[in-house]
Amino acid sequence: MEDVLLITPPFTQLNTPYPATAYIKGFLNTIDITSYQMDLGIEVILNLFTSDSFQEIFDSVKTQDLALSENAQRILALSTQYVQPLDRIIAFLQGKNQTLARLICTDNFLPRAARFEQLDDLSWAFGEMGMQDRAKHLATLYLEDLSDFLVECVDPNFGFSRYAERLGQSANNFDELYDELQQELTYIDEITIGLLEARFRESVPKLVLLSVPFPGNLYSALRCGAYIKENYPEVRVAMGGGFPNTELRSITDTRVFEFIDFITLDDGELPVALLIDAVIHKVENPTYKRTFLIENGAVIYKNNTARQDYKQAQVGTPDYNDLLLDEYISVIEIANPMHSLWSDGRWNKLTMAHGCYWGKCTFCDISLDYIKIYEPVAARTLVDRMEALIAQTGENGFHFVDEAAPPALMKAVALEILRRGLVVTWWTNIRFEKNFTADLCLLLKESGCIAVSGGLEVASDRLLKLIDKGVTVAQVAQVTRNFTAANIMVHSYLMYGYPTQTVQETVDSLEMVRQLFELGIIQSGFWHQFALTAHSPVGQDPEAYGVTPHYNEITFANNDVDFTDSTGIDHASFSYGLKKSLFNYMHGIGFEMPLQDWFDFHIPPSTIDPYYIEDCLNTEANLSVKPTAKIVWIGTTPIVSYFSKKKRQLATLLFHTTSDEFTITLSEEEARWVIAILPALSPQSEQLMTFSKLKSSYEEQFEHFELFWFSKPLETLKEKGLLVL
């Protein structure tokens, strides 16, 4: 019997488990508490998307007198063609039976309804991505057709990565959600509760922890809580995660606690440890950390422990045991390279640093602890955790889920990966700051980094300064060029409608983005409209940003705030044109089109020079090297040939790379020095050499180190893997 049951309610991701329960389970291991975790989302999907289930659904709909859309009528007419391949399609998307890809890519294997109308020429949309990815995309559209049928005919709240999301979004009061929870169980609810019931028949825990990262998990979480409290009243239920952390900090409605007993905020380790003391160990006069509960008929916030939060080094390694790791489904919804990373393949999730090392962006919830309290994890500890997860899951792919991974820590992690000789694939979120030099990007690539995502937000220096982003457009261009040159994919978050943003600035921002894509230094992007949140600097001082918020009485959720911008501009009207242009730019077309052509209303011409970004990239680089900079060689050991030329003793050093070879020629004495020094520059070296020590070593035998450092042979070595970090 487990002490604690950890649940992620439907729905988050199809391709990989949301990591919150794995993080808490890893922590519980360190305090000797037994636990079991369930991702109810993937379990519901696997029960729902079977030939048998959909045969029942189609048979049931045929007996009902429903007014069906043309799309639903078509799917129902082709019900046999939809049911027949479903089990094989799910297996294919789970990474099994990969030869099915060839059949999926034929014209008439899968039935096609409305989702396939958006299907353009796949060879254009996918380029060189290959048959497996084409097949995944077609299979995904087929599943989305079935999803549309479910929404119309079975459960209007269904969505692959969210469930009843509208009920949790900006719900200042609990009324609508409460009324929905009084209704009969939906078809999806019955599957969810059936799976939960089966788990309770195997083992009844003492404490259930519901992880609710998003609004689309909230409804199902409360359904689970209702089932547990009705059938197992002795079991206590707590809710935590991203949604409570951001939305429920002002909760006063006691009705929420008909479904759960506790709501915890921010880092979960200490609040959970104290709940375990209260519920499982039954200590006298228990104390709590950042926890809402009911006391004397009212919602009370308790934060009365003297204990400090656990340090990141103390929280343990995430534990993915119990999860159905080989049954997750990889999908490719749209032809966007970064979105395919999010939805395709299974990733081990880790965090390099708690919080954000920058912590100043004015649109961000920087007043909350999960961003405000910055605490990095030691590189060795991180790579220890990576090795533990590889051993446990068999997966070598890692997604570091940081707010913004710090460059210095990324460098240390990359060196530690190389030192241990690990073969891993990883990606993360960053700030486009100047510390991401060309050499650091090459090191990150060598360690297995394949992609980064970062916020360019509004490509306007005035607005970037107002946002307090700490970067300029020119700096972003140089950094994205460095990543791209190292063959690391770059995804940029883009924003429109920031307070006081003018129409001209929106147009100029689009022109900047056009140039970034045309030069090939950004490969992926996504526009989103500015949202005012209660915990951001803009939300806490709206007048300073020209914003008038429209507050409602808060008894439940409080995060997104309706507002009026002093400019009076309808920023939403730009949405379609911005997204349409970006889709084309991502596929390498439309650069020559006037910006006006993307919009069905008049916009002013851009004021940005058409070569602005190119000029930014042509700015002279600073060639000076700090004495403390580390010098690292990520290349191979050379093959040396000595020879004489005009009475000089020379040496040719032949270096082999994975794709080609190159040579440099030096004097015999300098060649011997280079050969002797290279092992000390290897990432495997226990003590990396600084630039000043390298200079001193050279000057023990030779003169004029600067001439040597900038000589043609050394410039070749720098291009091929002699890095200054």
Side-chain angles (χ1 to χ4, degrees):
M1 175 177 172
E2 296 85 26
D3 293 313
V4 177
L5 175 61
L6 301 142
I7 299 174
T8 305
F11 294 106
T12 48
Q13 284 178 272
L14 295 175
N15 64 307
T16 197
Y18 193 79
T21 61
Y23 275 55
I24 294 297
K25 184 176 176 67
F27 164 70
L28 294 177
N29 293 342
T30 70
I31 58 172
D32 298 321
I33 294 294
T34 59
S35 64
Y36 188 90
Q37 63 183 327
M38 301 177 71
D39 181 352
L40 270 177
I42 194 63
E43 293 194 36
V44 169
I45 291 293
L46 294 176
N47 273 265
L48 175 60
F49 281 83
T50 68
S51 295
D52 288 345
S53 292
F54 262 90
Q55 188 63 63
E56 289 180 8
I57 290 168
F58 286 134
D59 289 345
S60 173
V61 171
K62 287 175 182 176
T63 65
Q64 301 174 49
D65 185 20
L66 297 176
L68 300 180
S69 66
E70 287 185 13
N71 189 57
Q73 290 177 39
R74 174 174 172 76
I75 293 172
L76 194 60
L78 291 167
S79 60
T80 300
Q81 287 75 16
Y82 274 99
V83 166
Q84 190 174 12
L86 182 52
D87 293 338
R88 285 182 290 163
I89 292 296
I90 293 295
F92 169 73
L93 293 174
Q94 289 172 326
K96 306 161 190 173
N97 192 19
Q98 294 299 284
T99 55
L100 191 64
R102 295 180 178 276
L103 190 56
I104 293 172
C105 288
T106 58
D107 286 341
N108 57 358
F109 176 65
L110 291 178
R112 300 185 176 193
R115 291 296 180 134
F116 284 81
E117 292 170 7
Q118 62 185 304
L119 186 65
D120 293 309
D121 180 5
L122 277 183
S123 60
W124 166 70
F126 282 87
E128 300 301 316
M129 289 179 78
M131 183 173 290
Q132 291 290 325
D133 284 346
R134 295 181 192 207
K136 282 183 183 178
H137 185 53
L138 291 168
T140 302
L141 296 178
Y142 156 83
L143 292 183
E144 288 179 335
D145 274 341
L146 289 174
S147 169
D148 291 342
F149 188 84
L150 287 175
V151 170
E152 181 174 342
C153 303
V154 179
D155 189 337
N157 288 322
F158 179 74
F160 276 119
S161 58
R162 59 192 63 85
Y163 187 58
E165 182 180 49
R166 64 176 181 81
L167 296 173
Q169 283 184 318
S170 305
N172 296 147
N173 67 66
F174 193 51
D175 293 347
E176 186 179 3
L177 188 52
Y178 187 75
D179 290 344
E180 193 79 18
L181 290 163
Q182 307 310 307
Q183 306 304 313
E184 293 292 318
L185 295 182
T186 67
Y187 186 83
I188 308 298
D189 291 338
E190 288 176 354
I191 297 175
T192 304
I193 299 305
L195 290 164
L196 186 59
E197 188 175 32
R199 179 65 216 166
F200 269 76
R201 282 199 297 268
E202 290 183 28
S203 177
V204 177
K206 298 170 184 172
L207 175 64
V208 173
L209 303 178
L210 295 165
S211 174
V212 182
F214 308 115
N217 302 94
L218 177 64
Y219 167 83
S220 284
L222 296 176
R223 277 292 195 196
C224 290
Y227 166 80
I228 295 166
K229 291 183 75 64
E230 181 178 346
N231 294 279
Y232 299 90
E234 74 281 7
V235 176
R236 293 289 170 261
V237 182
M239 181 168 74
F243 179 82
N245 292 350
T246 54
E247 303 269 356
L248 300 186
R249 307 183 83 90
S250 306
I251 187 170
T252 59
D253 196 321
T254 57
R255 293 176 297 173
V256 179
F257 292 86
E258 295 173 20
F259 306 90
I260 55 176
D261 300 292
F262 309 99
I263 295 173
T264 68
L265 302 181
D266 302 327
D267 292 356
E269 289 84 6
L270 183 56
V272 166
L274 294 171
L275 288 182
I276 287 168
D277 284 346
V279 172
I280 297 175
H281 299 149
K282 299 189 182 302
V283 300
E284 289 188 29
N285 302 316
T287 59
Y288 298 90
K289 186 72 173 179
R290 297 185 299 269
T291 299
F292 287 103
L293 48 82
I294 292 289
E295 202 170 83
N296 299 323
V299 179
I300 301 296
Y301 179 68
K302 290 220 166 181
N303 194 27
N304 60 343
T305 182
R307 290 171 61 180
Q308 297 297 308
D309 277 301
Y310 289 86
K311 297 295 184 185
Q312 291 303 297
Q314 301 172 305
V315 298
T317 300
D319 184 345
Y320 285 88
N321 274 318
D322 314 324
L323 298 173
L324 310 176
L325 295 182
D326 59 349
E327 296 188 37
Y328 282 83
I329 300 168
S330 287
V331 295
I332 298 180
E333 300 168 56
I334 56 175
N336 176 313
M338 181 56 80
H339 283 92
S340 74
L341 268 186
W342 284 321
S343 63
D344 183 16
R346 224 199 57 67
W347 300 95
N348 296 317
K349 309 264 187 174
L350 278 174
T351 308
M352 287 194 186
H354 180 284
C356 179
Y357 70 97
W358 179 249
K360 297 179 183 179
C361 297
T362 54
F363 61 82
C364 187
D365 293 338
I366 59 175
S367 65
L368 301 185
D369 284 355
Y370 81 95
I371 292 176
K372 180 172 64 176
I373 299 175
Y374 173 66
E375 185 191 345
V377 181
R380 289 193 176 185
T381 302
L382 268 172
V383 183
D384 285 344
R385 291 175 180 175
M386 292 174 75
E387 291 195 294
L389 287 176
I390 290 169
Q392 183 186 89
T393 67
E395 297 282 354
N396 287 56
F398 290 86
H399 176 197
F400 290 100
V401 292
D402 292 64
E403 298 299 317
L409 183 52
M410 290 173 71
K411 176 175 72 176
V413 167
L415 287 168
E416 189 66 23
I417 288 169
L418 294 172
R419 187 173 292 124
R420 300 190 194 190
L422 296 183
V423 178
V424 294
T425 303
W426 62 276
W427 54 292
T428 191
N429 193 49
I430 63 160
R431 287 179 63 243
F432 292 124
E433 60 152 276
K434 63 180 184 298
N435 287 324
F436 287 110
T437 62
D439 282 7
L440 176 54
C441 292
L442 286 169
L443 177 77
L444 299 177
K445 175 63 170 65
E446 187 73 10
S447 73
C449 180
I450 56 166
V452 293
S453 56
L456 171 54
E457 319 308 353
V458 183
S460 154
D461 284 340
R462 181 189 81 84
L463 290 168
L464 285 171
K465 188 173 182 180
L466 191 62
I467 289 171
D468 204 0
K469 193 73 187 176
V471 300
T472 63
V473 174
Q475 189 176 307
V476 170
Q478 291 156 7
V479 168
T480 58
R481 185 260 315 274
N482 292 343
F483 277 111
T484 300
N487 202 24
I488 295 173
M489 183 174 69
V490 179
H491 173 86
S492 181
Y493 301 105
L494 304 164
M495 183 188 294
Y496 61 100
Y498 189 81
T500 74
Q501 182 173 353
T502 65
V503 170
Q504 186 67 62
E505 285 172 324
T506 300
V507 172
D508 288 350
S509 185
L510 176 57
E511 170 60 17
M512 296 278 207
V513 170
R514 185 195 69 79
Q515 292 182 31
L516 288 164
F517 274 95
E518 185 173 31
L519 289 168
I521 56 177
I522 286 182
Q523 294 75 49
S524 175
F526 185 78
W527 286 103
H528 64 94
Q529 188 170 347
F530 169 79
L532 177 63
T533 61
H535 311 293
S536 67
V538 180
Q540 296 187 339
D541 187 12
E543 289 183 8
Y545 296 88
V547 167
T548 304
H550 307 304
Y551 294 117
N552 298 316
E553 182 185 359
I554 307 298
T555 58
F556 185 56
N558 179 29
N559 190 38
D560 288 359
V561 180
D562 287 335
F563 68 96
T564 303
D565 185 344
S566 60
T567 65
I569 296 168
D570 178 16
H571 293 291
S573 65
F574 286 89
S575 175
Y576 181 77
L578 290 173
K579 292 175 181 177
K580 183 180 179 182
S581 60
L582 184 64
F583 182 83
N584 282 272
Y585 297 160
M586 280 195 291
H587 293 101
I589 59 175
F591 298 122
E592 74 292 340
M593 290 174 58
L595 299 186
Q596 177 65 68
D597 288 4
W598 301 115
F599 301 92
D600 57 6
F601 55 90
H602 176 73
I603 61 169
S606 172
T607 64
I608 303 300
D609 185 282
Y611 298 100
Y612 179 81
I613 298 295
E614 192 172 341
D615 290 341
C616 292
L617 299 180
N618 290 332
T619 304
E620 283 294 318
N622 182 7
L623 298 177
S624 63
V625 179
K626 292 181 180 178
T628 54
K630 300 292 192 297
I631 309 300
V632 175
W633 171 243
I634 58 173
T636 57
T637 302
I639 300 169
V640 188
S641 303
Y642 297 100
F643 64 97
S644 298
K645 185 175 182 181
K646 296 181 181 178
K647 297 183 180 181
R648 289 186 65 207
Q649 294 299 114
L650 303 173
T652 297
L653 279 61
L654 170 62
F655 294 87
H656 287 277
T657 73
T658 53
S659 56
D660 62 3
E661 60 186 46
F662 68 94
T663 61
I664 63 171
T665 301
L666 296 166
S667 70
E668 180 179 340
E669 294 81 4
E670 286 180 330
R672 292 188 186 279
W673 178 81
V674 167
I675 294 163
I677 207 76
L678 283 181
L681 306 181
S682 164
Q684 276 72 35
S685 175
E686 282 300 316
Q687 188 69 39
L688 293 177
M689 186 171 285
T690 63
F691 182 70
S692 64
K693 285 187 177 179
L694 183 73
K695 180 181 178 184
S696 298
S697 173
Y698 181 87
E699 290 177 342
E700 287 173 6
Q701 300 179 47
F702 314 104
E703 296 179 343
H704 308 304
F705 176 75
E706 283 74 16
L707 291 177
F708 175 73
W709 182 249
F710 292 109
S711 66
K712 186 175 179 180
L714 262 288
E715 291 300 320
T716 300
L717 278 185
K718 291 176 203 173
E719 289 175 12
K720 300 293 187 177
L722 184 64
L723 308 180
V724 179
L725 303 171

